Amino acid sequence: MEKKHIDWANLGFGYIPTEKRFVANYKNGAWEDGQLTSDATVTITECAGVLQYAQTCFEGMKAYTTQDGRIVTFRPDLNAARMEASCKRLEMPVFPQERFVDAVVRTVEANEAYVPPYGSGATLYIRPYMFGSDAVIGVKPANEYQFRVFVTPVGPYFKGGVKPLTIRVCDFDRAAPHGTGHIKAGLNYAMSLYAIMDAHRQGFDENMYLDAATRTYVEETGGANFLFITKDNKVVTPKSDSILPSITRRSLLTVARDYLGLPVEERPVAFSEVADFAECGLCGTAAVISPVGKIVDHGKEICLPSGMNEMGPVTKKLYDTLTGIQMGRIEAPEGWLRVIR
Ligand code: PLP
Ligand code: COI
C-alpha cells in the first residue's frame, strides 16, 4: 500500500478529506449496520435536531504507526465509553461500544494510505460523532440520528509544536455545576468560541477556565485538561465534575505512577496554588502534552520556572513515555493499544 504524498512534517491541525468514512443511521428505534462510504457530505432536513438545538456529541482519538510498522489506536474502549455517557446525557441513542470500536478500526483500515509514517511527526486524527438528523421544532430529542467516523492526518494542535504556551485566566465560564462539562457535547465548544477568539485577539494561546460557582479552582482549557508538577516532582491534576474526563490525563497519571515512580494527586486545585508549581501542561488527544510557560491573571503574570523555551523536565519525561507507548517504543500496559494492522 502506497502512502499518500503529503508533507507530513508540516501538517497543522486541520481537515484533509480522506477516501472513506463510516456512516450508520438510527431509525424506528434501531441502528442499521452502517457502512463505509466515499461521500464526505451530509444531507439532512433544515429542521434537524442538530441544527436547531445542537443535539450532537463527538469523540477525538488518534491512530499511530509504531516503530515496527503496525497501525494502532490508543484506548479506543475509553472513547466508546465516554461517547456512551455523552449520548445518555443528551438523550441520544447509544451506538454500542463494541460497534463504535469496530467502526473506528474499519475507518482507519480503509484509509491506511493516510496514516502518517512512523517518525513523521504527524498522526491520524479520528473523529467519531453523532447528531439528531430528523426534524424537531418543539424542544425535544430527535427520533432519528446519524453516527459517523471520519479520519484526517494532523500535525501539532498548537502552532510551534512543543513551544511553551501563554494562557490567560478567562472571565467566561466553560461549564456550569451540574451542567454538561463532563461530556463531549458540541454545545460546550460552541460557547467557547467567543472566549478563545477573544484570547487570541489579546495575544494568548488558550484560556484557563476556573470553576463557575466560586471562580477559585482550576478547571481546564477549551480542549485539554491541566497537569501540574510541584517543586518536589509530584504530578497534580484538577478533580472536578464539570471537566471532561481526559483519556490522555488518566493515562498520564498511570504513566507517572507506574513508569516514572512519581507520586500523583487528583484533587481540587485552587488557582492560588498555581504560582507555586514548577511546571504546567495541557493534556489531551490533540494537545498531547503542550507545555505552559506563562499564565496571565488580569495583567498579573505567573511565570512557570520551566520558562518559555522548552518543556519542563518532568513534563518531558511524561511526554516521552506516553508517546513512546503510543508509537510502540515502550511496552504498553495490557489493553492500551488496539492493533489495527
Ligand atoms: N478537555 C476537553 C474540553 C477536550 O475537548 C479534550 C479533548 O478531547 C480533553 C479535555 C482531552 O481529552 P482526551 O485526552 O480524552 O482527548
Ligand atoms: C481532542 O483532543 O481530541 C479534542 O477533541 C479537542 C479539540 C480541541 C480538538
Side-chain angles (χ1 to χ4, degrees):
M1 184 269 331
E2 205 193 324
K3 292 282 178 195
K4 292 286 164 190
H5 295 291
I6 292 174
D7 184 6
W8 309 108
N10 291 308
L11 280 178
F13 196 86
Y15 171 68
I16 298 172
T18 66
E19 248 134 62
K20 299 284 182 189
R21 63 278 303 137
F22 179 85
V23 188
N25 290 299
Y26 180 89
K27 209 172 175 170
N28 301 322
W31 284 106
E32 64 179 22
D33 286 346
Q35 67 205 17
L36 292 167
T37 170
S38 301
D39 188 357
T41 61
V42 175
T43 304
I44 46 175
T45 164
E46 61 187 356
C47 202
V50 58
L51 299 178
Q52 302 309 324
Y53 303 121
Q55 198 185 15
T56 177
C57 62
F58 68 99
E59 272 304 323
M61 51 214 292
K62 282 176 173 172
Y64 310 85
T65 304
T66 60
Q67 195 170 26
D68 61 0
R70 291 170 299 158
I71 295 174
V72 302
T73 53
F74 185 70
R75 311 189 78 181
D77 49 319
L78 298 187
N79 294 91
R82 191 169 64 189
M83 183 125 181
E84 174 164 337
S86 297
C87 288
K88 286 180 171 163
R89 180 64 175 78
L90 296 171
E91 289 291 341
M92 298 168 77
V94 171
F95 193 72
Q97 292 192 26
E98 326 73 71
R99 290 179 62 188
F100 173 103
V101 174
D102 184 59
V104 165
V105 168
R106 284 173 62 189
T107 312
V108 174
E109 269 172 357
N111 294 289
E112 195 184 330
Y114 293 88
V115 184
Y118 175 77
S120 64
T123 51
L124 189 75
Y125 188 70
I126 307 167
R127 174 54 63 88
Y129 61 114
M130 192 192 294
F131 51 87
S133 54
D134 71 327
V136 286
I137 192 70
V139 178
K140 65 178 180 64
N143 287 311
E144 296 178 10
Y145 294 84
Q146 194 165 97
F147 170 75
R148 299 177 72 101
V149 183
F150 70 76
V151 297
T152 189
V154 295
Y157 188 66
F158 292 104
K159 278 201 276 304
V162 293
K163 219 179 120 353
L165 305 169
T166 299
I167 66 173
R168 68 158 185 192
V169 175
C170 187
D171 284 333
F172 302 100
D173 294 322
R174 174 181 175 274
H178 315 292
T180 55
H182 61 299
I183 60 163
K184 218 160 160 56
L187 60 92
N188 293 337
Y189 299 82
M191 46 67 62
S192 76
L193 297 177
Y194 181 81
I196 190 63
M197 291 309 291
D198 188 54
H200 290 166
R201 284 188 284 266
Q202 315 281 332
F204 301 103
D205 297 304
E206 252 296 354
N207 286 305
M208 170 185 269
Y209 291 103
L210 301 180
D211 76 291
T214 71
R215 315 202 110 256
T216 51
Y217 289 95
V218 176
E219 292 262 293
E220 60 174 328
T221 70
N225 282 179
F226 278 105
L227 215 61
F228 298 101
I229 313 296
T230 64
K231 289 183 177 137
D232 55 357
N233 289 351
K234 206 184 293 165
V235 179
V236 179
T237 186
K239 187 178 173 69
S240 160
D241 291 339
S242 46
I243 65 174
L244 193 77
S246 160
I247 293 161
T248 312
R249 183 252 300 161
R250 285 182 269 163
S251 304
L252 283 166
L253 293 189
T254 303
V255 164
R257 204 180 38 228
D258 298 350
Y259 285 68
L260 303 177
L262 300 172
V264 303
E265 279 180 10
E266 189 181 356
R267 59 167 174 81
V269 175
F271 179 67
S272 58
E273 288 179 63
V274 168
D276 294 329
F277 289 126
E279 301 174 33
C280 171
L282 309 183
C283 58
T285 298
V288 193
I289 313 182
S290 303
V292 174
K294 196 190 285 184
I295 302 168
V296 182
D297 175 23
H298 302 90
K300 199 170 131 254
E301 293 191 350
I302 298 172
C303 297
L304 278 299
S306 49
M308 291 305 292
N309 291 322
E310 56 193 10
M311 271 193 192
V314 177
T315 306
K316 175 91 170 78
K317 274 192 208 154
L318 286 166
Y319 179 95
D320 287 345
T321 312
L322 179 72
T323 53
I325 289 170
Q326 291 166 333
M327 313 278 176
R329 291 188 297 267
I330 296 174
E331 194 176 347
E334 182 71 31
W336 277 23
L337 296 187
R338 167 73 191 241
V339 178
I340 292 180
R341 201 199 53 86

